[in-house]
Amino acid sequence: DTLQYIEIFNRGPQPVDLSGWALTKGIKFTFPPKTALSAGAYLVVCRDVTAFSRAYGRNVPVLGNFTGKLGHSGERLELLDLEKKLVDAVKYSDQGEWPTAPDGHSPSLERISPFISGELSANWASSKMGLTERPLGTPGSGNDSFSSNLPPIIKGGAFSSPKVSQ
């Protein structure tokens, strides 16, 4: 639980001043003054900076420590700008159509496309699995399953055996 983190990605063409922005719902964190995120850059907000740096290295741009903790079975997270307007949100789960591997063991839950709503469960995947239980994911860099677009989503369907005529 001390290694929990959220990764922020600036998908836009310009730097963003995150000063005073806040992560709310489930966890709490307010970005300090003079926090900027360059275009195409990543920033990690974690629960315990010391534990995170030990596990992932010191080359990852990281802020912390957030209060609260990410629920393993699900949580709603919101990113609000300085004016308290909703910038992005997700209500993840480990039920239904959500990936179940990132349930507090090794893989992380990764957004596939930053250009598609985070509220869509099909836009989330598990990071690559390892051979042993250890911290995984790609904090501070592109996700394992990154794609600008989502593949087609197939819901429902039925399978039947072909009829064999004799």
Side-chain angles (χ1 to χ4, degrees):
D1 284 344
T2 60
L3 296 179
Q4 292 183 339
Y5 67 90
I6 293 174
E7 184 176 61
I8 307 294
F9 173 66
N10 180 357
R11 67 182 186 194
Q14 301 295 323
V16 174
D17 181 3
L18 298 175
S19 304
W21 287 34
L23 290 163
T24 63
K25 308 281 184 188
I27 64 157
K28 306 283 187 236
F29 182 81
T30 301
F31 291 85
K34 299 182 182 178
T35 302
L37 187 57
S38 300
Y42 297 85
L43 177 63
V44 171
V45 179
C46 66
R47 186 166 184 216
D48 182 329
V49 172
T50 302
F52 180 89
S53 295
R54 240 183 280 125
Y56 290 104
R58 301 196 182 279
N59 294 331
V60 178
V62 62
L63 294 174
N65 298 330
F66 65 68
T67 58
K69 72 179 208 175
L70 300 169
H72 294 295
S73 60
E75 193 81 63
R76 176 157 179 89
L77 304 171
E78 293 181 352
L79 177 63
L80 305 179
D81 68 12
L82 187 58
E83 297 168 354
K84 306 296 182 225
K85 291 181 186 168
L86 184 66
V87 175
D88 204 358
V90 61
K91 184 176 181 183
Y92 67 89
S93 178
D94 66 355
Q95 305 286 316
E97 298 174 349
W98 286 88
T100 56
D103 194 6
H105 300 288
S106 289
S108 62
L109 183 63
E110 298 182 338
R111 190 167 177 173
I112 297 169
S113 175
F115 306 103
I116 296 174
S117 173
E119 297 281 11
L120 183 64
S121 62
N123 195 21
W124 293 86
S126 171
S127 66
K128 291 179 182 175
M129 298 285 288
L131 297 176
T132 60
E133 189 171 316
R134 63 180 180 80
L136 297 173
T138 58
S141 61
N143 293 338
D144 289 334
S145 55
F146 173 86
S147 177
S148 294
N149 299 300
L150 291 182
I153 299 169
I154 300 171
K155 288 189 171 192
F159 295 95
S160 61
S161 298
K163 294 187 180 195
V164 179
S165 54
Q166 296 183 1

